[in-house]
């Protein structure tokens, strides 16, 4: 039978690539966007679901709609997310909360909506898209980094909670990927910051790094593998820096690890 998957944030970048790859490999793909009508023509291989992961009712409705159409979801890929930029001192609590609402609570909402049926069925795959930033926090992107560290914790704890159930949880951890992520980033106004010079330097590094990074297909391939492997790994890291960071973090004193991060981001 054709496996079904719901991919959040399927309208661009990693989510769009993942939806395309999974559809090409026989999955029935439900993809979410806040504005699905804009994406129907470009991605007819996706069955579009309107969803804002900020909103409890929107998530419950979207997940229920996909599950009803498919006769039960086999997999969920929690990918929707965005970034905010700015110092811990200056980013407003409102912006910080909004960041967690999408990147952490948005994932939690989707998992809670999809999980009961999967658990009852005794099978299913849940992929959470984390980030290297969750392990190596980015200066002036503390809030984003914190959401991704929280996603790592959720993924690992959930994998254990579901251990006897047949539902497997996988963390996919990309490093830099060339998508439109920086175009929709909430940059604030680094020039007006009390940290202006260093914030601008970090901004420059962040803006310059994505166009040099691999495209989203590398993440789509890892997600596809995570969904199809008989025994999926707990974690799929993408990119050399993502593989090396945990080694550095484990063996280097914290001070040196942080100094390497400062050097990388030119702050
Ligand atoms: N690019 C990177 O370097 C990188 C590295 C590590 C991890 N990641 C993670 O990968 C994921 C995808 O990022 P990307 O690089 O592919 O960025 P992207 O091209 O900007 O795509 C983000 C997707 O998230 C969706 N989205 C954003 N807010 C949403 C909300 N409130 N409700 C529903 N959907 C929402 C957008 O859909 P609509 O606007 O259509 O609703 C869009 O499809 C994110 O979780 C990001 O943190 C990215």
């Amino acid at each position: 039978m054709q496996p079904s998957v719901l991919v959040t944030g399927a309208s661009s970048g990693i989510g769009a690539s993942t939806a395309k790859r999974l559809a090409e490999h026989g999955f029935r793909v439900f993809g979410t966007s806040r504005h699905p009508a804009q994406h129907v023509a470009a991605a007819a291989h996706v069955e579009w679901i309107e969803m804002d992961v900020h909103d409890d009712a929107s998530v419950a409705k979207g997940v229920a709609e996909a599950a009803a159409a498919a006769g039960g979801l086999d997999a969920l890929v929690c990918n929707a997310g965005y970034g905010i930029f700015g110092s811990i001192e200056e980013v407003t609590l409102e912006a910080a909360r909004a960041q967690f609402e999408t990147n952490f609570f948005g994932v939690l909402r989707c998992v809670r909506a999809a999980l009961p049926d999967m658990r009852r069925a005794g099978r299913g795959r849940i992929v959470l898209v984390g980030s290297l930033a969750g392990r190596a926090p980015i200066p002036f992107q503390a809030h984003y980094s914190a959401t991704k560290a929280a996603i790592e914790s959720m993924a690992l704890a959930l994998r254990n909670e579901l251990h006897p159930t047949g539902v497997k949880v996988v963390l996919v951890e990309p490093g830099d990927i060339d998508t439109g992520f920086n175009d929709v980033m909430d940059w604030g106004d680094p020039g007006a910051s009390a940290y202006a010079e260093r914030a601008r330097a970090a901004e420059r590094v962040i803006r310059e790094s994505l166009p040099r990074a691999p495209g989203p297909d590398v993440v789509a391939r890892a997600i596809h593998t995570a969904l199809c492997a008989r025994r999926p790994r707990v974690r799929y890291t993408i990119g050399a820096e993502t593989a090396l960071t945990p080694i550095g973090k484990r063996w280097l004193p914290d001070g040196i690890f942080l100094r390497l991060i400062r050097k990388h981001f030119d702050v």
Side-chain angles (χ1 to χ4, degrees):
M1 216 183 80
Q2 189 181 27
S4 59
V5 59
L6 178 68
V7 180
T8 69
S11 61
S12 66
I14 292 168
S17 250
T18 300
K20 183 161 177 284
R21 181 174 178 96
L22 295 178
E24 284 167 358
H25 286 80
F27 279 78
R28 181 168 179 188
V29 178
F30 298 88
T32 83
S33 165
R34 286 164 296 180
H35 314 286
Q38 294 174 9
H39 308 292
V40 174
H45 50 276
V46 171
E47 294 178 51
W48 285 99
I49 305 263
E50 182 171 339
M51 185 189 288
D52 184 342
V53 299
H54 265 239
D55 185 80
D56 291 349
S58 172
V59 170
K61 182 168 171 289
V63 171
E65 210 179 296
L73 283 172
D74 296 300
L76 169 69
V77 177
C78 294
N79 162 77
Y82 74 102
I84 63 175
F85 184 89
S87 71
I88 291 178
E89 184 183 334
E90 292 162 322
V91 165
T92 64
L93 278 181
E94 193 190 2
R97 283 200 186 97
Q99 177 74 118
F100 271 85
E101 274 302 332
T102 294
N103 289 14
F104 179 76
F105 291 106
V107 171
L108 186 55
R109 284 185 187 95
C110 292
V111 167
R112 294 186 75 240
L115 192 49
D117 283 350
M118 286 185 181
R119 190 174 40 72
R120 275 192 289 271
R123 64 188 180 81
R125 289 278 157 97
I126 298 176
V127 171
L128 306 191
V129 178
S131 169
L132 170 60
R135 300 224 235 179
I138 303 173
F140 304 108
Q141 277 201 297
H143 312 85
Y144 174 74
S145 304
T147 65
K148 293 301 184 177
I151 289 295
E152 181 192 24
S153 290
M154 184 182 351
L156 302 190
L158 189 58
R159 174 104 172 193
N160 266 348
E161 286 183 17
L162 294 174
H163 185 67
T165 68
V167 182
K168 295 258 185 286
V169 180
V170 175
L171 176 66
V172 170
E173 261 183 345
D176 284 341
I177 301 294
D178 185 14
T179 67
F181 186 80
N182 280 345
D183 303 335
V184 291
M185 172 103 79
D186 176 359
W187 287 100
D189 183 1
S193 165
Y195 303 78
E197 199 181 321
R198 296 169 67 233
R200 276 213 191 93
E203 179 191 0
R204 193 172 53 247
V205 173
I206 292 165
R207 282 194 190 272
E208 285 172 1
S209 59
L210 286 206
R212 288 199 298 260
D217 288 0
V218 290
V219 188
R221 273 204 297 278
I223 292 174
H224 183 203
T225 302
L227 293 186
C228 294
R230 212 163 63 83
R231 291 197 187 141
R233 300 206 300 252
V234 172
R235 182 194 310 259
Y236 291 78
T237 56
I238 321 281
E241 75 276 28
T242 317
L244 289 173
T245 297
I247 300 170
K249 200 168 177 178
R250 175 158 183 196
W251 295 108
L252 295 174
D254 285 342
I256 294 183
F257 185 67
L258 292 186
R259 194 191 306 158
L260 289 175
I261 294 176
R262 285 201 303 279
K263 206 164 149 39
H264 178 79
F265 288 99
D266 197 20
V267 297

